[in-house]
């Protein structure tokens, strides 16, 4: 059986990890052992934060909608309840966008929500 030399594969693996660790601080981008740990942890953070990003954006939209609704004399919960009763199905992303960039349209929607809450 011939002797197997594994330097090429190891070099390729090390290069791959160091390339992924590019931009990390200090030894994290230079030393393979440290870089490998850094890349693994970075992957864990990325996985976790892809999910957290969705939560954070939803929270941001809710804060924006709440602020705009309160300017028109409605709380967030009353506003959303009014939309549901008026059968207006606009998601929070679009509502927050309207609240910032198209205040008259948001005000019109808020009036419908307010009327729906008053009648029920």
């Amino acid at each position: 059986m011939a002797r197997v030399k594994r330097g090429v594969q190891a070099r390729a693996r090390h290069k791959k990890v160091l390339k992924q660790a590019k931009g990390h601080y200090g030894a994290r981008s230079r030393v393979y052992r440290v870089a490998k740990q850094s890349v693994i942890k970075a992957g864990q953070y990325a996985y976790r934060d892809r999910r957290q990003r969705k939560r954070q954006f939803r929270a941001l939209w809710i804060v924006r909608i709440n602020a705009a609704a309160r300017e028109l004399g409605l709380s967030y919960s009353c506003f959303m309840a009014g939309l549901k009763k008026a059968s207006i199905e606009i998601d929070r992303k679009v509502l927050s966008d309207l609240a910032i960039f198209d205040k008259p349209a948001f005000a019109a929607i808020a009036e419908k929500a307010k009327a729906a809450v008053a009648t029920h």
Side-chain angles (χ1 to χ4, degrees), residues 57-58 60-69 72 74-84 87-113:
F57 268 105
R58 184 182 166 97
L60 175 67
W61 298 331
I62 288 171
V63 167
R64 287 176 174 173
I65 293 165
N66 190 17
L72 301 169
L74 278 168
S75 69
Y76 172 78
S77 59
C78 286
F79 176 72
M80 293 309 283
L83 289 183
K84 196 161 216 154
S87 301
I88 299 172
E89 292 182 13
I90 303 176
D91 64 4
R92 287 164 181 82
K93 181 180 178 179
V94 173
L95 282 170
S96 95
D97 202 50
L98 286 174
I100 296 167
F101 299 112
D102 195 357
K103 290 197 185 291
F106 187 83
I109 293 168
E111 284 306 313
K112 287 182 182 174

Side-chain angles (χ1 to χ4, degrees), residues 2-14 32:
R3 176 171 161 230
V4 177
K5 297 171 76 178
R6 295 170 35 225
V8 177
Q9 289 88 338
R11 165 89 46 197
R13 193 165 55 248
H14 287 202
Y32 171 73

